[in-house]
Amino acid sequence: MLFPDVETLQNRSQRYTYGRRGNPTLDALCTALSELDGGAGSLTAPSGMSAIALAILSVVESGGHILVIDNVYQPTRHFCDTVLRRMGVRTTYYDPLIGSGIADLFEDDTRLVFTEAPGSQTFEMPDIPAIVRAAKERGITVAMDNTWATPLFFRPLDHGVDLAIYAGTKYLGGHSDVMMGTVTANERAWKPLLATHGALGLTSGPDDVYLAHRGLRTMHIRLQHHMRAALRIAAWLEARPEVSRVLHPGLESHPGHAIWKRDFKGSSGLFSIVMKPGPQEAVAAFLDTLALFGLGYSWGGFESLAIPFDCSTYRTATSFEAEGPTIRIHIGLEDPADLEADLDAGLARWREAGGQS
Ligand SMILES: *Cc1c(COP(=O)(O)O)cnc(C)c1O
């Protein structure tokens, strides 16, 4: 970026001074994101994970303490257990269903409550308003990974959350071709967030920003389809004899359904299922040859995905008891009838390979 004269350069009296510190393309996206969530400002980062790290680093101090939901996105846990630990920051993981009981876990130097709703993989619904009320009483900052709902179905800042974090890689981009993270802050959290973002030198490339902004134009239409199709297929799976439980907060059978209904305006395309007991070979037989469902992690795009998961190995505050193999499903933009036919054939292979029904 160039300056017209020395005086402008020395006074920095123009909006754009250096590539890392913003450009019109990035401003257009950040302004839109901030409006969507009703924030004081938004920033982007090169990935969802870097946005999470940024938000946490904008709050913590060496030697301090943070509380993190036990079913958090697993790489977030990794960040806390490695980088934060090296900085002397202590992390306590809390039961997703703790509600106002979180107050019992506050220590004198607790700086942050980090939450995610519903939690990754197992989809428990935390009571965000109850957690926020307890944190506010003590002046503790609350950050939330809101990737699942997007601002269209839940606006964290309206519920008192200070920092709303998104893996823009998922629904914002929407086409599995962008890596991006975004953070939107309220008035209280904005200045430290901006300062930390600048200090870390985080930025996003113009092509990614352009694609994310274009994705935003259709996000509401795509999410309507993801919601309807995922609810339909979740209900269809719930009625299948091979499936023990469907973990989707939009289903009435879900233990967190009332909280979801109270706080959220909709649901997206991601949920999990617990199968009846069966061997790993039956899981592979089910998933390996699905025609429309890909085997992959990065959800939120146009295509449907299914992956096996096992969260029994890393939780510490709670355990998740599964009566059979667990599978996470993302419902993309395909015709749900085609997806049901694909799953139907996969479930036949599950039975043939020894899976129970
Ligand atoms: C994918 C994901 C992230 C991380 O996003 P990346 O862009 O892959 O780093 C964070 N939180 C949740 C809930 C996610 O699903």
Side-chain angles (χ1 to χ4, degrees), residues 46-52 72-76 114 116 118-120 145-148 165-170 178-181 270 297-299 328:
S47 65
M49 191 53 232
S50 56
I52 290 165
V72 75
Y73 178 63
Q74 209 258 338
T76 304
F114 190 98
E116 186 180 321
S120 279
D145 184 336
N146 192 37
T147 302
W148 183 84
I165 306 161
Y166 301 91
T169 307
K170 311 289 167 54
V178 188
M179 297 294 301
M180 181 175 288
L270 193 76
Y297 288 100
S298 190
W299 54 281
R328 193 190 72 179

PDB file of all heavy atoms in Angstrom, residues 46-52 72-76 114 116 118-120 145-148 165-170 178-181 270 297-299 328, ligand 1:
ATOM      1  N   PRO A  46      -6.571 -17.520   9.541  1.00  0.00           N
ATOM      2  CA  PRO A  46      -6.384 -18.458   8.429  1.00  0.00           C
ATOM      3  C   PRO A  46      -7.148 -19.776   8.542  1.00  0.00           C
ATOM      4  O   PRO A  46      -7.239 -20.512   7.572  1.00  0.00           O
ATOM      5  CB  PRO A  46      -4.870 -18.739   8.454  1.00  0.00           C
ATOM      6  CG  PRO A  46      -4.279 -17.699   9.323  1.00  0.00           C
ATOM      7  CD  PRO A  46      -5.334 -17.237  10.260  1.00  0.00           C
ATOM      8  N   SER A  47      -7.703 -20.084   9.702  1.00  0.00           N
ATOM      9  CA  SER A  47      -8.474 -21.317   9.876  1.00  0.00           C
ATOM     10  C   SER A  47      -9.374 -21.142  11.093  1.00  0.00           C
ATOM     11  O   SER A  47      -9.164 -20.210  11.892  1.00  0.00           O
ATOM     12  CB  SER A  47      -7.541 -22.519  10.113  1.00  0.00           C
ATOM     13  OG  SER A  47      -6.860 -22.353  11.346  1.00  0.00           O
ATOM     14  N   GLY A  48     -10.323 -22.036  11.242  1.00  0.00           N
ATOM     15  CA  GLY A  48     -11.151 -22.007  12.442  1.00  0.00           C
ATOM     16  C   GLY A  48     -10.311 -22.177  13.691  1.00  0.00           C
ATOM     17  O   GLY A  48     -10.513 -21.500  14.697  1.00  0.00           O
ATOM     18  N   MET A  49      -9.341 -23.086  13.610  1.00  0.00           N
ATOM     19  CA  MET A  49      -8.502 -23.354  14.785  1.00  0.00           C
ATOM     20  C   MET A  49      -7.699 -22.127  15.179  1.00  0.00           C
ATOM     21  O   MET A  49      -7.550 -21.828  16.372  1.00  0.00           O
ATOM     22  CB  MET A  49      -7.597 -24.563  14.498  1.00  0.00           C
ATOM     23  CG  MET A  49      -6.887 -25.100  15.723  1.00  0.00           C
ATOM     24  SD  MET A  49      -8.021 -25.476  17.086  1.00  0.00           S
ATOM     25  CE  MET A  49      -7.238 -24.580  18.421  1.00  0.00           C
ATOM     26  N   SER A  50      -7.162 -21.398  14.195  1.00  0.00           N
ATOM     27  CA  SER A  50      -6.390 -20.198  14.545  1.00  0.00           C
ATOM     28  C   SER A  50      -7.304 -19.115  15.118  1.00  0.00           C
ATOM     29  O   SER A  50      -6.874 -18.314  15.954  1.00  0.00           O
ATOM     30  CB  SER A  50      -5.586 -19.677  13.354  1.00  0.00           C
ATOM     31  OG  SER A  50      -6.408 -19.427  12.246  1.00  0.00           O
ATOM     32  N   ALA A  51      -8.568 -19.086  14.697  1.00  0.00           N
ATOM     33  CA  ALA A  51      -9.520 -18.129  15.273  1.00  0.00           C
ATOM     34  C   ALA A  51      -9.797 -18.469  16.739  1.00  0.00           C
ATOM     35  O   ALA A  51      -9.915 -17.580  17.588  1.00  0.00           O
ATOM     36  CB  ALA A  51     -10.825 -18.132  14.475  1.00  0.00           C
ATOM     37  N   ILE A  52      -9.879 -19.762  17.040  1.00  0.00           N
ATOM     38  CA  ILE A  52     -10.088 -20.199  18.426  1.00  0.00           C
ATOM     39  C   ILE A  52      -8.881 -19.807  19.284  1.00  0.00           C
ATOM     40  O   ILE A  52      -9.024 -19.238  20.373  1.00  0.00           O
ATOM     41  CB  ILE A  52     -10.321 -21.732  18.465  1.00  0.00           C
ATOM     42  CG1 ILE A  52     -11.679 -22.068  17.840  1.00  0.00           C
ATOM     43  CG2 ILE A  52     -10.207 -22.272  19.886  1.00  0.00           C
ATOM     44  CD1 ILE A  52     -11.859 -23.534  17.492  1.00  0.00           C
ATOM     45  N   VAL A  72     -15.618 -30.183  23.749  1.00  0.00           N
ATOM     46  CA  VAL A  72     -15.111 -29.166  22.824  1.00  0.00           C
ATOM     47  C   VAL A  72     -14.465 -29.849  21.614  1.00  0.00           C
ATOM     48  O   VAL A  72     -14.002 -31.000  21.716  1.00  0.00           O
ATOM     49  CB  VAL A  72     -14.093 -28.261  23.572  1.00  0.00           C
ATOM     50  CG1 VAL A  72     -12.753 -28.979  23.773  1.00  0.00           C
ATOM     51  CG2 VAL A  72     -13.899 -26.927  22.871  1.00  0.00           C
ATOM     52  N   TYR A  73     -14.464 -29.121  20.495  1.00  0.00           N
ATOM     53  CA  TYR A  73     -13.732 -29.552  19.293  1.00  0.00           C
ATOM     54  C   TYR A  73     -12.332 -29.995  19.726  1.00  0.00           C
ATOM     55  O   TYR A  73     -11.611 -29.239  20.385  1.00  0.00           O
ATOM     56  CB  TYR A  73     -13.676 -28.350  18.338  1.00  0.00           C
ATOM     57  CG  TYR A  73     -12.923 -28.539  17.061  1.00  0.00           C
ATOM     58  CD1 TYR A  73     -13.334 -29.468  16.113  1.00  0.00           C
ATOM     59  CD2 TYR A  73     -11.805 -27.756  16.774  1.00  0.00           C
ATOM     60  CE1 TYR A  73     -12.653 -29.617  14.920  1.00  0.00           C
ATOM     61  CE2 TYR A  73     -11.116 -27.899  15.579  1.00  0.00           C
ATOM     62  CZ  TYR A  73     -11.541 -28.825  14.658  1.00  0.00           C
ATOM     63  OH  TYR A  73     -10.854 -28.964  13.485  1.00  0.00           O
ATOM     64  N   GLN A  74     -11.953 -31.217  19.375  1.00  0.00           N
ATOM     65  CA  GLN A  74     -10.775 -31.822  20.001  1.00  0.00           C
ATOM     66  C   GLN A  74      -9.475 -31.025  19.810  1.00  0.00           C
ATOM     67  O   GLN A  74      -8.690 -30.896  20.747  1.00  0.00           O
ATOM     68  CB  GLN A  74     -10.630 -33.266  19.511  1.00  0.00           C
ATOM     69  CG  GLN A  74      -9.964 -34.169  20.525  1.00  0.00           C
ATOM     70  CD  GLN A  74      -8.531 -34.413  20.177  1.00  0.00           C
ATOM     71  OE1 GLN A  74      -8.147 -34.256  19.028  1.00  0.00           O
ATOM     72  NE2 GLN A  74      -7.728 -34.779  21.170  1.00  0.00           N
ATOM     73  N   PRO A  75      -9.217 -30.421  18.631  1.00  0.00           N
ATOM     74  CA  PRO A  75      -8.000 -29.596  18.515  1.00  0.00           C
ATOM     75  C   PRO A  75      -7.980 -28.382  19.464  1.00  0.00           C
ATOM     76  O   PRO A  75      -6.898 -27.903  19.811  1.00  0.00           O
ATOM     77  CB  PRO A  75      -8.022 -29.163  17.046  1.00  0.00           C
ATOM     78  CG  PRO A  75      -8.753 -30.270  16.345  1.00  0.00           C
ATOM     79  CD  PRO A  75      -9.838 -30.655  17.314  1.00  0.00           C
ATOM     80  N   THR A  76      -9.144 -27.898  19.891  1.00  0.00           N
ATOM     81  CA  THR A  76      -9.180 -26.821  20.890  1.00  0.00           C
ATOM     82  C   THR A  76      -8.607 -27.342  22.207  1.00  0.00           C
ATOM     83  O   THR A  76      -7.812 -26.680  22.882  1.00  0.00           O
ATOM     84  CB  THR A  76     -10.621 -26.322  21.105  1.00  0.00           C
ATOM     85  OG1 THR A  76     -11.152 -25.909  19.859  1.00  0.00           O
ATOM     86  CG2 THR A  76     -10.669 -25.176  22.094  1.00  0.00           C
ATOM     87  N   PHE A 114     -14.936 -21.134  28.054  1.00  0.00           N
ATOM     88  CA  PHE A 114     -15.031 -21.444  26.627  1.00  0.00           C
ATOM     89  C   PHE A 114     -16.108 -22.504  26.450  1.00  0.00           C
ATOM     90  O   PHE A 114     -16.109 -23.530  27.127  1.00  0.00           O
ATOM     91  CB  PHE A 114     -13.678 -21.971  26.111  1.00  0.00           C
ATOM     92  CG  PHE A 114     -13.633 -22.076  24.609  1.00  0.00           C
ATOM     93  CD1 PHE A 114     -13.046 -21.076  23.845  1.00  0.00           C
ATOM     94  CD2 PHE A 114     -14.199 -23.161  23.948  1.00  0.00           C
ATOM     95  CE1 PHE A 114     -13.018 -21.154  22.458  1.00  0.00           C
ATOM     96  CE2 PHE A 114     -14.183 -23.249  22.555  1.00  0.00           C
ATOM     97  CZ  PHE A 114     -13.577 -22.246  21.812  1.00  0.00           C
ATOM     98  N   GLU A 116     -19.152 -24.437  23.580  1.00  0.00           N
ATOM     99  CA  GLU A 116     -19.482 -24.828  22.206  1.00  0.00           C
ATOM    100  C   GLU A 116     -20.850 -25.485  22.282  1.00  0.00           C
ATOM    101  O   GLU A 116     -21.107 -26.256  23.203  1.00  0.00           O
ATOM    102  CB  GLU A 116     -18.416 -25.822  21.709  1.00  0.00           C
ATOM    103  CG  GLU A 116     -18.538 -26.197  20.252  1.00  0.00           C
ATOM    104  CD  GLU A 116     -17.427 -27.188  19.825  1.00  0.00           C
ATOM    105  OE1 GLU A 116     -16.267 -27.046  20.259  1.00  0.00           O
ATOM    106  OE2 GLU A 116     -17.753 -28.109  19.075  1.00  0.00           O
ATOM    107  N   PRO A 118     -24.197 -27.222  19.845  1.00  0.00           N
ATOM    108  CA  PRO A 118     -23.974 -28.373  20.715  1.00  0.00           C
ATOM    109  C   PRO A 118     -22.520 -28.811  20.608  1.00  0.00           C
ATOM    110  O   PRO A 118     -21.840 -28.416  19.675  1.00  0.00           O
ATOM    111  CB  PRO A 118     -24.916 -29.441  20.125  1.00  0.00           C
ATOM    112  CG  PRO A 118     -25.120 -29.036  18.694  1.00  0.00           C
ATOM    113  CD  PRO A 118     -24.974 -27.546  18.640  1.00  0.00           C
ATOM    114  N   GLY A 119     -22.049 -29.586  21.565  1.00  0.00           N
ATOM    115  CA  GLY A 119     -20.643 -29.987  21.587  1.00  0.00           C
ATOM    116  C   GLY A 119     -20.296 -30.880  20.412  1.00  0.00           C
ATOM    117  O   GLY A 119     -21.159 -31.565  19.861  1.00  0.00           O
ATOM    118  N   SER A 120     -19.040 -30.851  20.030  1.00  0.00           N
ATOM    119  CA  SER A 120     -18.580 -31.663  18.901  1.00  0.00           C
ATOM    120  C   SER A 120     -18.842 -33.147  19.156  1.00  0.00           C
ATOM    121  O   SER A 120     -18.726 -33.630  20.282  1.00  0.00           O
ATOM    122  CB  SER A 120     -17.077 -31.451  18.674  1.00  0.00           C
ATOM    123  OG  SER A 120     -16.842 -30.264  17.948  1.00  0.00           O
ATOM    124  N   ASP A 145     -17.592 -21.313  20.509  1.00  0.00           N
ATOM    125  CA  ASP A 145     -17.451 -21.833  19.151  1.00  0.00           C
ATOM    126  C   ASP A 145     -18.869 -22.109  18.638  1.00  0.00           C
ATOM    127  O   ASP A 145     -19.528 -23.053  19.076  1.00  0.00           O
ATOM    128  CB  ASP A 145     -16.603 -23.116  19.178  1.00  0.00           C
ATOM    129  CG  ASP A 145     -16.331 -23.684  17.790  1.00  0.00           C
ATOM    130  OD1 ASP A 145     -17.117 -23.406  16.864  1.00  0.00           O
ATOM    131  OD2 ASP A 145     -15.342 -24.429  17.636  1.00  0.00           O
ATOM    132  N   ASN A 146     -19.333 -21.249  17.725  1.00  0.00           N
ATOM    133  CA  ASN A 146     -20.715 -21.312  17.240  1.00  0.00           C
ATOM    134  C   ASN A 146     -20.777 -21.822  15.801  1.00  0.00           C
ATOM    135  O   ASN A 146     -21.708 -21.519  15.055  1.00  0.00           O
ATOM    136  CB  ASN A 146     -21.335 -19.902  17.339  1.00  0.00           C
ATOM    137  CG  ASN A 146     -22.841 -19.893  17.148  1.00  0.00           C
ATOM    138  OD1 ASN A 146     -23.545 -20.797  17.591  1.00  0.00           O
ATOM    139  ND2 ASN A 146     -23.336 -18.866  16.464  1.00  0.00           N
ATOM    140  N   THR A 147     -19.792 -22.612  15.407  1.00  0.00           N
ATOM    141  CA  THR A 147     -19.701 -23.086  14.030  1.00  0.00           C
ATOM    142  C   THR A 147     -20.950 -23.864  13.611  1.00  0.00           C
ATOM    143  O   THR A 147     -21.433 -23.726  12.488  1.00  0.00           O
ATOM    144  CB  THR A 147     -18.448 -23.971  13.863  1.00  0.00           C
ATOM    145  OG1 THR A 147     -17.288 -23.196  14.223  1.00  0.00           O
ATOM    146  CG2 THR A 147     -18.301 -24.460  12.439  1.00  0.00           C
ATOM    147  N   TRP A 148     -21.502 -24.674  14.508  1.00  0.00           N
ATOM    148  CA  TRP A 148     -22.629 -25.539  14.158  1.00  0.00           C
ATOM    149  C   TRP A 148     -23.874 -24.735  13.786  1.00  0.00           C
ATOM    150  O   TRP A 148     -24.554 -25.031  12.794  1.00  0.00           O
ATOM    151  CB  TRP A 148     -22.947 -26.480  15.334  1.00  0.00           C
ATOM    152  CG  TRP A 148     -24.055 -27.465  15.072  1.00  0.00           C
ATOM    153  CD1 TRP A 148     -23.951 -28.680  14.444  1.00  0.00           C
ATOM    154  CD2 TRP A 148     -25.443 -27.331  15.439  1.00  0.00           C
ATOM    155  NE1 TRP A 148     -25.182 -29.307  14.397  1.00  0.00           N
ATOM    156  CE2 TRP A 148     -26.110 -28.495  15.004  1.00  0.00           C
ATOM    157  CE3 TRP A 148     -26.175 -26.344  16.097  1.00  0.00           C
ATOM    158  CZ2 TRP A 148     -27.466 -28.708  15.200  1.00  0.00           C
ATOM    159  CZ3 TRP A 148     -27.539 -26.549  16.290  1.00  0.00           C
ATOM    160  CH2 TRP A 148     -28.175 -27.729  15.844  1.00  0.00           C
ATOM    161  N   ILE A 165     -17.059 -17.387  17.847  1.00  0.00           N
ATOM    162  CA  ILE A 165     -16.002 -17.913  16.977  1.00  0.00           C
ATOM    163  C   ILE A 165     -16.608 -18.876  15.957  1.00  0.00           C
ATOM    164  O   ILE A 165     -17.509 -19.665  16.290  1.00  0.00           O
ATOM    165  CB  ILE A 165     -14.963 -18.689  17.816  1.00  0.00           C
ATOM    166  CG1 ILE A 165     -14.452 -17.809  18.955  1.00  0.00           C
ATOM    167  CG2 ILE A 165     -13.815 -19.181  16.947  1.00  0.00           C
ATOM    168  CD1 ILE A 165     -13.806 -18.599  20.068  1.00  0.00           C
ATOM    169  N   TYR A 166     -16.104 -18.806  14.738  1.00  0.00           N
ATOM    170  CA  TYR A 166     -16.605 -19.682  13.670  1.00  0.00           C
ATOM    171  C   TYR A 166     -15.464 -20.284  12.878  1.00  0.00           C
ATOM    172  O   TYR A 166     -14.485 -19.589  12.573  1.00  0.00           O
ATOM    173  CB  TYR A 166     -17.484 -18.881  12.687  1.00  0.00           C
ATOM    174  CG  TYR A 166     -18.656 -18.248  13.366  1.00  0.00           C
ATOM    175  CD1 TYR A 166     -18.566 -16.961  13.878  1.00  0.00           C
ATOM    176  CD2 TYR A 166     -19.834 -18.959  13.536  1.00  0.00           C
ATOM    177  CE1 TYR A 166     -19.641 -16.390  14.539  1.00  0.00           C
ATOM    178  CE2 TYR A 166     -20.913 -18.386  14.189  1.00  0.00           C
ATOM    179  CZ  TYR A 166     -20.808 -17.103  14.694  1.00  0.00           C
ATOM    180  OH  TYR A 166     -21.863 -16.549  15.357  1.00  0.00           O
ATOM    181  N   ALA A 167     -15.611 -21.548  12.512  1.00  0.00           N
ATOM    182  CA  ALA A 167     -14.785 -22.104  11.455  1.00  0.00           C
ATOM    183  C   ALA A 167     -15.491 -21.722  10.155  1.00  0.00           C
ATOM    184  O   ALA A 167     -16.439 -22.372   9.728  1.00  0.00           O
ATOM    185  CB  ALA A 167     -14.670 -23.620  11.601  1.00  0.00           C
ATOM    186  N   GLY A 168     -15.032 -20.628   9.536  1.00  0.00           N
ATOM    187  CA  GLY A 168     -15.606 -20.178   8.267  1.00  0.00           C
ATOM    188  C   GLY A 168     -15.374 -21.187   7.161  1.00  0.00           C
ATOM    189  O   GLY A 168     -16.043 -21.181   6.121  1.00  0.00           O
ATOM    190  N   THR A 169     -14.430 -22.080   7.411  1.00  0.00           N
ATOM    191  CA  THR A 169     -14.171 -23.226   6.549  1.00  0.00           C
ATOM    192  C   THR A 169     -15.449 -24.033   6.294  1.00  0.00           C
ATOM    193  O   THR A 169     -15.589 -24.663   5.244  1.00  0.00           O
ATOM    194  CB  THR A 169     -13.140 -24.134   7.259  1.00  0.00           C
ATOM    195  OG1 THR A 169     -12.009 -23.342   7.631  1.00  0.00           O
ATOM    196  CG2 THR A 169     -12.708 -25.288   6.406  1.00  0.00           C
ATOM    197  N   LYS A 170     -16.375 -24.002   7.237  1.00  0.00           N
ATOM    198  CA  LYS A 170     -17.564 -24.846   7.162  1.00  0.00           C
ATOM    199  C   LYS A 170     -18.674 -24.112   6.392  1.00  0.00           C
ATOM    200  O   LYS A 170     -18.613 -23.991   5.191  1.00  0.00           O
ATOM    201  CB  LYS A 170     -17.985 -25.267   8.571  1.00  0.00           C
ATOM    202  CG  LYS A 170     -16.828 -25.821   9.424  1.00  0.00           C
ATOM    203  CD  LYS A 170     -16.359 -27.177   8.966  1.00  0.00           C
ATOM    204  CE  LYS A 170     -15.036 -27.635   9.575  1.00  0.00           C
ATOM    205  NZ  LYS A 170     -14.956 -27.630  11.022  1.00  0.00           N
ATOM    206  N   VAL A 178     -12.420 -23.280   0.984  1.00  0.00           N
ATOM    207  CA  VAL A 178     -11.809 -22.156   1.708  1.00  0.00           C
ATOM    208  C   VAL A 178     -11.437 -22.619   3.112  1.00  0.00           C
ATOM    209  O   VAL A 178     -12.212 -23.335   3.742  1.00  0.00           O
ATOM    210  CB  VAL A 178     -12.798 -20.973   1.894  1.00  0.00           C
ATOM    211  CG1 VAL A 178     -12.075 -19.763   2.477  1.00  0.00           C
ATOM    212  CG2 VAL A 178     -13.467 -20.605   0.592  1.00  0.00           C
ATOM    213  N   MET A 179     -10.275 -22.197   3.586  1.00  0.00           N
ATOM    214  CA  MET A 179      -9.953 -22.345   5.002  1.00  0.00           C
ATOM    215  C   MET A 179     -10.033 -20.954   5.621  1.00  0.00           C
ATOM    216  O   MET A 179      -9.375 -20.021   5.150  1.00  0.00           O
ATOM    217  CB  MET A 179      -8.527 -22.878   5.210  1.00  0.00           C
ATOM    218  CG  MET A 179      -8.241 -24.261   4.678  1.00  0.00           C
ATOM    219  SD  MET A 179      -9.129 -25.611   5.489  1.00  0.00           S
ATOM    220  CE  MET A 179      -8.607 -25.448   7.186  1.00  0.00           C
ATOM    221  N   MET A 180     -10.843 -20.805   6.656  1.00  0.00           N
ATOM    222  CA  MET A 180     -10.954 -19.501   7.315  1.00  0.00           C
ATOM    223  C   MET A 180     -11.562 -19.642   8.701  1.00  0.00           C
ATOM    224  O   MET A 180     -12.374 -20.537   8.943  1.00  0.00           O
ATOM    225  CB  MET A 180     -11.838 -18.551   6.484  1.00  0.00           C
ATOM    226  CG  MET A 180     -11.962 -17.185   7.130  1.00  0.00           C
ATOM    227  SD  MET A 180     -12.862 -16.011   6.131  1.00  0.00           S
ATOM    228  CE  MET A 180     -11.673 -15.725   4.850  1.00  0.00           C
ATOM    229  N   GLY A 181     -11.142 -18.772   9.591  1.00  0.00           N
ATOM    230  CA  GLY A 181     -11.796 -18.659  10.888  1.00  0.00           C
ATOM    231  C   GLY A 181     -12.217 -17.218  11.082  1.00  0.00           C
ATOM    232  O   GLY A 181     -11.611 -16.310  10.505  1.00  0.00           O
ATOM    233  N   LEU A 270     -25.277 -31.193  10.706  1.00  0.00           N
ATOM    234  CA  LEU A 270     -24.337 -32.116  11.360  1.00  0.00           C
ATOM    235  C   LEU A 270     -24.960 -32.768  12.593  1.00  0.00           C
ATOM    236  O   LEU A 270     -25.498 -32.070  13.455  1.00  0.00           O
ATOM    237  CB  LEU A 270     -23.082 -31.330  11.782  1.00  0.00           C
ATOM    238  CG  LEU A 270     -21.875 -32.169  12.197  1.00  0.00           C
ATOM    239  CD1 LEU A 270     -21.187 -32.767  10.971  1.00  0.00           C
ATOM    240  CD2 LEU A 270     -20.880 -31.337  12.991  1.00  0.00           C
ATOM    241  N   TYR A 297     -13.486 -35.129   7.167  1.00  0.00           N
ATOM    242  CA  TYR A 297     -13.730 -34.393   8.409  1.00  0.00           C
ATOM    243  C   TYR A 297     -14.395 -33.049   8.206  1.00  0.00           C
ATOM    244  O   TYR A 297     -15.194 -32.609   9.013  1.00  0.00           O
ATOM    245  CB  TYR A 297     -12.400 -34.176   9.153  1.00  0.00           C
ATOM    246  CG  TYR A 297     -11.871 -35.445   9.755  1.00  0.00           C
ATOM    247  CD1 TYR A 297     -10.857 -36.180   9.145  1.00  0.00           C
ATOM    248  CD2 TYR A 297     -12.411 -35.934  10.942  1.00  0.00           C
ATOM    249  CE1 TYR A 297     -10.391 -37.351   9.701  1.00  0.00           C
ATOM    250  CE2 TYR A 297     -11.951 -37.108  11.514  1.00  0.00           C
ATOM    251  CZ  TYR A 297     -10.930 -37.813  10.879  1.00  0.00           C
ATOM    252  OH  TYR A 297     -10.479 -38.969  11.434  1.00  0.00           O
ATOM    253  N   SER A 298     -13.998 -32.332   7.142  1.00  0.00           N
ATOM    254  CA  SER A 298     -14.397 -30.929   7.076  1.00  0.00           C
ATOM    255  C   SER A 298     -15.788 -30.753   6.524  1.00  0.00           C
ATOM    256  O   SER A 298     -16.010 -30.642   5.340  1.00  0.00           O
ATOM    257  CB  SER A 298     -13.390 -30.127   6.250  1.00  0.00           C
ATOM    258  OG  SER A 298     -13.692 -28.757   6.400  1.00  0.00           O
ATOM    259  N   TRP A 299     -16.742 -30.686   7.431  1.00  0.00           N
ATOM    260  CA  TRP A 299     -18.160 -30.595   7.079  1.00  0.00           C
ATOM    261  C   TRP A 299     -18.551 -29.159   6.718  1.00  0.00           C
ATOM    262  O   TRP A 299     -17.725 -28.270   6.715  1.00  0.00           O
ATOM    263  CB  TRP A 299     -18.982 -31.119   8.257  1.00  0.00           C
ATOM    264  CG  TRP A 299     -18.660 -30.445   9.559  1.00  0.00           C
ATOM    265  CD1 TRP A 299     -17.589 -30.708  10.365  1.00  0.00           C
ATOM    266  CD2 TRP A 299     -19.383 -29.390  10.179  1.00  0.00           C
ATOM    267  NE1 TRP A 299     -17.620 -29.875  11.457  1.00  0.00           N
ATOM    268  CE2 TRP A 299     -18.713 -29.056  11.370  1.00  0.00           C
ATOM    269  CE3 TRP A 299     -20.551 -28.701   9.855  1.00  0.00           C
ATOM    270  CZ2 TRP A 299     -19.162 -28.060  12.240  1.00  0.00           C
ATOM    271  CZ3 TRP A 299     -21.002 -27.708  10.726  1.00  0.00           C
ATOM    272  CH2 TRP A 299     -20.302 -27.397  11.904  1.00  0.00           C
ATOM    273  N   ARG A 328     -20.392 -39.867  12.900  1.00  0.00           N
ATOM    274  CA  ARG A 328     -20.852 -38.487  12.701  1.00  0.00           C
ATOM    275  C   ARG A 328     -21.238 -38.299  11.238  1.00  0.00           C
ATOM    276  O   ARG A 328     -20.519 -38.765  10.333  1.00  0.00           O
ATOM    277  CB  ARG A 328     -19.750 -37.501  13.082  1.00  0.00           C
ATOM    278  CG  ARG A 328     -20.273 -36.064  13.199  1.00  0.00           C
ATOM    279  CD  ARG A 328     -19.152 -35.066  13.339  1.00  0.00           C
ATOM    280  NE  ARG A 328     -18.433 -34.908  12.082  1.00  0.00           N
ATOM    281  CZ  ARG A 328     -17.402 -34.084  11.900  1.00  0.00           C
ATOM    282  NH1 ARG A 328     -16.954 -33.375  12.907  1.00  0.00           N
ATOM    283  NH2 ARG A 328     -16.789 -33.999  10.724  1.00  0.00           N
TER     284      ARG A 328
HETATM  285  C1  LIG B   1     -13.802 -27.649  11.842  1.00  0.00           C
HETATM  286  C2  LIG B   1     -14.055 -27.014  13.140  1.00  0.00           C
HETATM  287  C3  LIG B   1     -13.155 -26.092  13.664  1.00  0.00           C
HETATM  288  C4  LIG B   1     -11.830 -25.773  13.019  1.00  0.00           C
HETATM  289  O1  LIG B   1     -11.908 -25.211  11.763  1.00  0.00           O
HETATM  290  P1  LIG B   1     -10.654 -25.283  10.749  1.00  0.00           P
HETATM  291  O2  LIG B   1     -10.929 -24.237   9.755  1.00  0.00           O
HETATM  292  O3  LIG B   1     -10.646 -26.667  10.197  1.00  0.00           O
HETATM  293  O4  LIG B   1      -9.424 -25.007  11.567  1.00  0.00           O
HETATM  294  C5  LIG B   1     -13.480 -25.495  14.858  1.00  0.00           C
HETATM  295  N1  LIG B   1     -14.607 -25.786  15.510  1.00  0.00           N
HETATM  296  C6  LIG B   1     -15.492 -26.671  15.047  1.00  0.00           C
HETATM  297  C7  LIG B   1     -16.737 -26.944  15.827  1.00  0.00           C
HETATM  298  C8  LIG B   1     -15.234 -27.330  13.856  1.00  0.00           C
HETATM  299  O5  LIG B   1     -16.090 -28.262  13.415  1.00  0.00           O
END
